[in-house]
Amino acid sequence: MHIKFVEISNFRRLQSVRIELTEETTLFVGANNSGKTSAMEALRLFLVAKRFSINDFTLAHWATINSIGNAWQAFATAEEVEAAAAPTEWDSILPTLDLWFHVERNEIHHVSRLLPTLDWRDGLLGVRLRYEPSDVAKMAVDYLGCHLEAQSTKTQAKEAEGDDVGEVKLWPQSLLEYLERRLHNRFAIKTYALDPAMCVAPENGVAKPQLLPVSSEPIEDNALDRLVKVNEINAQRGLGQGARNAESGDPRRVTDQVRHYWDHHLDPSDRPMPSDLVAMRALEKAQELFDKTLNTTFADTLDEVGDFGYPGQTDPEIKISARISATDTLNHDAAVQYEVAAVTGEGEATTVLRLPEHYNGLGYQNLILMFFRLVSFRDSWMRKGKMGRSGTQTDADIVAPLHLVLIEEPEAHLHAQVQQVFIRKAYKTLRKHEHLGDSKVLRTQLVVSTHSSHVAHEAKFSSLRYFRRLPASKIGAVPTSTVINLSDVFGPDKETERFDTRYLRSTHCDLFFADAAILVEGPAERILVPHFIRSHFDYLTQCYLSLLEIGGSHAHRLRPLIEKMGLLTLVVTDLDAESDGGGHEQPARGKGLKTGNTTLKDWLPALTAVDDLFKASEESKTKIHDQIFSVRTAYQCPVNITLDEKQVEVLPSTFEDALAFSNLAAFADIEKATGLMEKFRKAIAENKSGAALSKALYDHLHSNAKKAEFALDLLEVKDPEKLIVPPYLSEGLDWLQSQLRRKHIEILPPPKDAGEDSKEDAA
């Protein structure tokens, strides 16, 4: 048995999403504020913490909540509002978590309380956890009473003090404000069985959770108690900020974890086994010896007490006795130590020095802390050691068939290599038990949310769940998120899947966490595009961009992934003019040349003839997907330059000659140039016609030119920030900047007739 998928509705920015879980490790990835934390919090609040706030309700429903309160305010008496308050008006706005399990026929005894019908045998089985009013009528009466009391108080104050009272706002001004204080008293999580026959697939990324029948009754006891064991490691581990998380009570130090593990699994004094007796006797001997030493040491002091008249004839004598326990020996900062090897001198033996745990780096502290947490989770689930020797069995002693572990941002304080090791080993650690391993009887599912490309790098595409931000769908609405299952992103195209997987693994790319992507042709663009952004596109420096050197012949291979993710993308590529025979040619008009660039031919602008590419409109270079995101290509096109005081047209073929054409004066003035830069400088000085200069630069570029060296040399010239960006690249970056500005407007502007200022903002 395992969780096939979960559906989250009306929780923060997750208005209605389905998240499919793998049978082992599932990674939540996505840009900042895309909903990863919301998903983890939904699982945590519904399954562990069970304490919500009004801020956990989706923002889009706040107006609806207040409208319910406004309707209640219209009633004059408690009896009227109690009779009118209807639970059904809350159904569409309540936070819910639907868990859909895959259950085998031989596991039906675990889910007997969840069966939708008596003839259900195996397959999908669903349960809904809904955070709902415990009693809508009582809440309505209480709200109306609080509201009327506030109004009465205000009226009395005005009568007594006159207008000096002013417009004081008394609680509650709205139902939302009322729930900020009373939510925990008025709402509770209730559990409902779902009908597998009513389970439908999402539409356009939006989940379609089934509606509960009006006659649905909640399951009285907690149906998940014996079914799922849930543990979590949240992001707020607070290393170096004290020993314990005051809010959750979770131990923060490795020492705390060691002591916790000892108390629950190893302590010989707790339900001892025969093997524990040796340790217990050793502790008793230590205590007897210490007691003898204490009483001998304190003998003279205790005799002096007699000078104060104690003890008398009938008073008991004072004896000093220490209590030694293994737990006490672990209850200090130096209980866990790190050994450091040191050589005392040449030819002498190595000695071992020890330091307390807080002297180690935060990265290793975090790694060891998480390791102990995982081991403790596993052994608590499996009732290892003392936990399995309780005298009477309770619900807590029953081993649940499913163990769900939630880890939020494991990369905190860990350098890249350790992040990779952790995500590789975490699931194996959770399964390292004689009754687990590869067994399907007891299952473990690990869910990890991360911002780290190094963690994502270690995962298969099939385990990645990409959270994508969606813009507000209408005026006054709020942004939401959708979740993309990347397991089927490539379909049957195994060659593209193999390339993308290997490429992303080799580059540690941060594509899954970016606001937008820029795909560039080669090393020169990879070096200089960030420089141009810093110097000329200030807004782009505020955004999270993923810059990938992919090459024109391969950029199209990322197309399925980019379109599936819905990632705003600029593809900066080369024209790659070719003759009919396929040989590379210098760009020219009217010669029937074609592009050899697959991106330009098959993606955007989907044109083959070089003459057609020269004439392509801005619209044809851009593709808008479902009004959610766009992709645009930028490639070399004809430009006019001034040579010998004449305007001439030149046709650049690559980024490098396009850059030279845009900066003729700067290249001509370069001193002590070498390599390709020196060749360009001489060509500019010697050629006074556009055709001759174009030919000279083209020849230099296609004679074993070192383009990366060329780009690095340019960064060394005087005032590199004054370099002019080639027009095709400048147009592309301008487009990307404008798209990101629009993307970052989370709430749509007012309607067009709201005034000229609003029209400007909307533009």
Side-chain angles (χ1 to χ4, degrees):
M1 180 178 65
H2 64 277
I3 299 175
K4 186 77 171 177
F5 57 87
V6 300
E7 290 185 336
I8 303 171
S9 301
N10 304 322
F11 184 86
R12 299 187 184 178
R13 67 182 303 130
L14 305 178
Q15 193 158 351
S16 188
V17 300
R18 174 180 290 190
I19 308 173
E20 298 181 41
L21 303 185
T22 67
E23 294 187 29
E24 295 185 359
T25 301
T26 306
L27 256 65
F28 292 174
V29 298
N32 285 329
N33 204 31
S34 61
K36 302 186 300 296
T37 300
S38 294
M40 295 295 282
E41 278 293 289
L43 292 169
R44 186 180 76 85
L45 289 176
F46 276 106
L47 299 175
V48 183
K50 302 181 180 179
R51 187 173 180 85
F52 292 71
S53 81
I54 193 61
N55 296 317
D56 294 322
F57 287 68
T58 299
L59 288 174
H61 298 320
W62 284 16
T64 304
I65 293 173
N66 281 336
S67 68
I68 293 173
N70 293 339
W72 291 348
Q73 292 176 25
F75 294 97
T77 66
E79 291 75 13
E80 291 176 349
V81 73
E82 184 176 12
T88 54
E89 61 187 344
W90 290 85
D91 288 353
S92 63
I93 62 176
L94 295 173
T96 64
L97 172 68
D98 291 358
L99 297 170
W100 285 95
F101 300 91
H102 177 82
V103 183
E104 300 291 346
R105 183 164 298 188
N106 62 351
E107 298 171 320
I108 195 170
H109 59 284
H110 292 304
V111 295
S112 57
R113 291 177 289 176
L114 303 179
L115 299 183
T117 60
L118 293 177
D119 58 354
W120 186 91
R121 291 293 178 266
D122 57 10
L124 272 184
L125 189 67
V127 59
R128 171 166 298 169
L129 303 177
R130 187 168 73 176
Y131 192 60
E132 62 183 51
S134 302
D135 190 317
V136 173
K138 288 184 179 180
M139 181 168 65
V141 170
D142 188 49
Y143 172 70
L144 181 61
C146 293
H147 178 73
L148 292 177
E149 183 181 352
Q151 296 302 109
S152 175
T153 301
K154 193 170 183 180
T155 301
Q156 293 173 15
K158 282 190 174 183
E159 290 175 353
E161 304 294 337
D163 293 335
D164 292 340
V165 175
E167 291 300 321
V168 177
K169 294 181 179 179
L170 299 180
W171 177 88
Q173 292 291 307
S174 64
L175 182 54
L176 203 65
E177 191 173 296
Y178 167 86
L179 290 174
E180 286 179 352
R181 295 189 186 181
R182 301 285 176 86
L183 186 68
H184 305 305
N185 298 328
R186 297 299 175 187
F187 276 66
I189 296 174
K190 294 185 180 180
T191 307
Y192 298 87
L194 297 175
D195 184 357
M198 300 292 290
C199 181
V200 297
E203 295 180 8
N204 299 320
V206 179
K208 299 293 182 182
Q210 62 185 260
L211 299 177
L212 289 177
V214 177
S215 59
S216 293
E217 291 292 332
I219 301 171
E220 290 300 326
D221 56 347
N222 192 334
L224 298 180
D225 272 355
R226 299 186 181 187
L227 193 61
V228 185
K229 169 74 171 177
V230 184
N231 290 116
E232 61 159 340
I233 303 177
N234 61 35
Q236 304 301 321
R237 290 182 285 279
L239 292 172
Q241 298 176 16
R244 189 171 294 273
N245 184 329
E247 181 178 336
S248 66
D250 288 338
R252 282 181 166 177
R253 299 176 306 171
V254 177
T255 300
D256 296 319
Q257 290 294 325
V258 170
R259 187 169 61 251
H260 180 273
Y261 191 81
W262 171 273
D263 290 342
H264 288 80
H265 301 285
L266 303 177
D267 187 356
S269 63
D270 180 18
R271 298 185 293 275
M273 295 182 289
S275 59
D276 294 326
L277 298 183
V278 175
M280 294 176 67
R281 180 56 189 152
L283 286 172
E284 289 176 1
K285 286 183 177 180
Q287 180 164 326
E288 291 170 1
L289 179 60
F290 194 34
D291 286 351
K292 183 177 180 181
T293 302
L294 285 173
N295 282 284
T296 301
T297 304
F298 277 93
D300 293 341
T301 304
L302 294 176
D303 287 342
E304 291 183 34
V305 178
D307 295 338
F308 288 85
Y310 185 91
Q313 293 295 323
T314 60
D315 299 318
E317 291 189 17
I318 297 175
K319 293 293 183 181
I320 304 278
S321 178
R323 179 178 180 180
I324 299 177
S325 71
T327 302
D328 294 335
T329 65
L330 295 174
N331 195 25
H332 57 88
D333 287 341
V336 173
Q337 297 183 339
Y338 297 100
E339 290 189 347
V340 181
V343 179
T344 58
E346 185 175 353
E348 296 183 15
T350 299
T351 62
V352 175
L353 308 178
R354 293 181 178 180
L355 293 171
E357 70 162 284
H358 65 269
Y359 280 81
N360 206 2
L362 289 180
Y364 284 117
Q365 287 187 53
N366 189 27
L367 179 66
I368 297 169
L369 183 146
M370 289 193 293
F371 166 78
F372 269 103
R373 295 289 296 277
L374 295 179
V375 171
S376 180
F377 294 163
R378 178 198 67 203
D379 292 348
S380 295
W381 175 42
M382 297 306 298
R383 315 298 300 169
K384 181 177 179 179
K386 312 301 175 180
M387 295 189 72
R389 290 174 59 82
S390 59
T392 58
Q393 191 179 64
T394 65
D395 284 353
D397 296 319
I398 298 174
V399 176
L402 177 60
H403 188 201
L404 177 64
V405 179
L406 312 174
I407 304 179
E408 199 174 7
E409 298 178 22
E411 64 270 14
H413 303 299
L414 301 183
H415 60 72
Q417 290 81 359
V418 179
Q419 293 176 32
Q420 294 168 343
V421 171
F422 175 81
I423 200 63
R424 283 200 301 265
K425 300 294 185 181
Y427 185 80
K428 294 179 181 178
T429 299
L430 290 169
R431 298 295 294 177
K432 194 173 183 180
H433 187 278
E434 59 183 343
H435 297 312
L436 299 176
D438 297 327
S439 171
K440 302 296 184 182
V441 177
L442 299 173
R443 305 291 288 270
T444 304
Q445 288 181 273
L446 174 62
V447 178
V448 179
S449 71
T450 182
H451 289 92
S452 169
S453 59
H454 302 288
V455 172
H457 161 274
E458 286 299 315
K460 299 177 181 178
F461 271 100
S462 59
S463 70
L464 297 179
R465 301 297 178 263
Y466 178 72
F467 285 71
R468 185 176 77 195
R469 296 176 295 213
L470 297 177
S473 58
K474 59 184 179 180
I475 300 297
V478 296
T480 56
S481 296
T482 187
V483 182
I484 310 299
N485 184 348
L486 296 183
S487 62
D488 58 352
V489 62
F490 301 107
D493 190 351
K494 295 301 179 184
E495 183 179 347
T496 296
E497 180 179 6
R498 183 166 56 252
F499 172 84
D500 282 19
T501 301
R502 291 176 179 175
Y503 174 76
L504 294 178
R505 282 179 174 269
S506 67
T507 59
H508 287 274
C509 96
D510 51 1
L511 202 66
F512 301 117
F513 311 97
D515 293 326
I518 303 176
L519 311 185
V520 298
E521 181 76 18
E525 292 97 319
R526 176 174 50 81
I527 294 169
L528 290 176
V529 167
H531 166 73
F532 290 143
I533 289 175
R534 287 191 297 270
S535 301
H536 304 287
F537 300 89
D538 183 64
Y539 186 78
L540 291 182
T541 64
Q542 305 171 34
C543 304
Y544 298 99
L545 304 178
S546 180
L547 183 71
L548 302 182
E549 179 189 339
I550 191 69
S553 61
H554 293 297
H556 67 286
R557 294 187 181 274
L558 286 178
R559 178 180 178 179
L561 181 60
I562 287 170
E563 292 185 348
K564 185 79 171 182
M565 292 169 61
L567 183 63
L568 179 66
T569 302
L570 172 66
V571 182
V572 180
T573 190
D574 285 345
L575 186 62
D576 291 342
E578 294 181 350
S579 62
D580 284 338
H584 207 285
E585 294 284 343
Q586 181 183 350
R589 291 184 184 271
K591 290 189 176 181
L593 299 179
K594 299 178 180 179
T595 180
N597 190 319
T598 307
T599 297
L600 300 180
K601 289 189 297 184
D602 298 339
W603 194 359
L604 287 171
L607 298 171
T608 301
V610 167
D611 289 323
D612 291 338
L613 288 168
F614 286 160
K615 295 182 294 184
S617 64
E618 290 298 306
E619 291 76 14
S620 65
K621 297 177 185 178
T622 306
K623 184 174 183 180
I624 302 174
H625 293 262
D626 301 323
Q627 302 300 317
I628 294 175
F629 80 103
S630 306
V631 178
R632 187 192 189 278
T633 52
Y635 56 89
Q636 298 83 20
C637 286
V639 293
N640 293 321
I641 63 172
T642 301
L643 280 178
D644 202 18
E645 299 183 353
K646 296 180 181 178
Q647 285 280 319
V648 296
E649 181 184 81
V650 291
L651 304 175
S653 61
T654 67
F655 167 72
E656 291 79 15
D657 60 354
L659 183 62
F661 286 136
S662 298
N663 296 274
L664 292 176
F667 273 79
D669 293 340
I670 292 175
E671 299 177 356
K672 298 180 181 180
T674 59
L676 184 60
M677 190 184 298
E678 172 62 11
K679 294 177 181 179
F680 273 22
R681 189 190 67 78
K682 287 183 177 180
I684 292 170
E686 296 170 357
N687 296 278
K688 300 304 179 182
S689 73
L693 179 58
S694 296
K695 182 67 166 63
L697 297 185
Y698 178 85
D699 290 342
H700 290 319
L701 283 168
H702 291 81
S703 59
N704 298 320
K706 297 180 179 179
K707 296 183 178 182
E709 181 182 298
F710 168 81
L712 291 172
D713 288 344
L714 273 178
L715 293 179
E716 295 296 324
V717 303
K718 185 179 180 181
D719 299 329
E721 66 277 359
K722 293 183 179 180
L723 287 173
I724 298 173
V725 185
Y728 80 98
L729 178 58
S730 179
E731 291 169 4
L733 292 175
D734 274 330
W735 171 85
L736 183 63
Q737 186 164 255
S738 66
Q739 292 295 310
L740 282 169
R741 286 184 186 276
R742 291 180 57 191
K743 184 178 178 182
H744 288 181
I745 300 175
E746 294 270 303
I747 299 179
L748 293 180
K752 292 183 178 180
D753 59 0
E756 292 302 318
D757 291 341
S758 297
K759 292 179 182 178
E760 277 189 29
D761 292 340

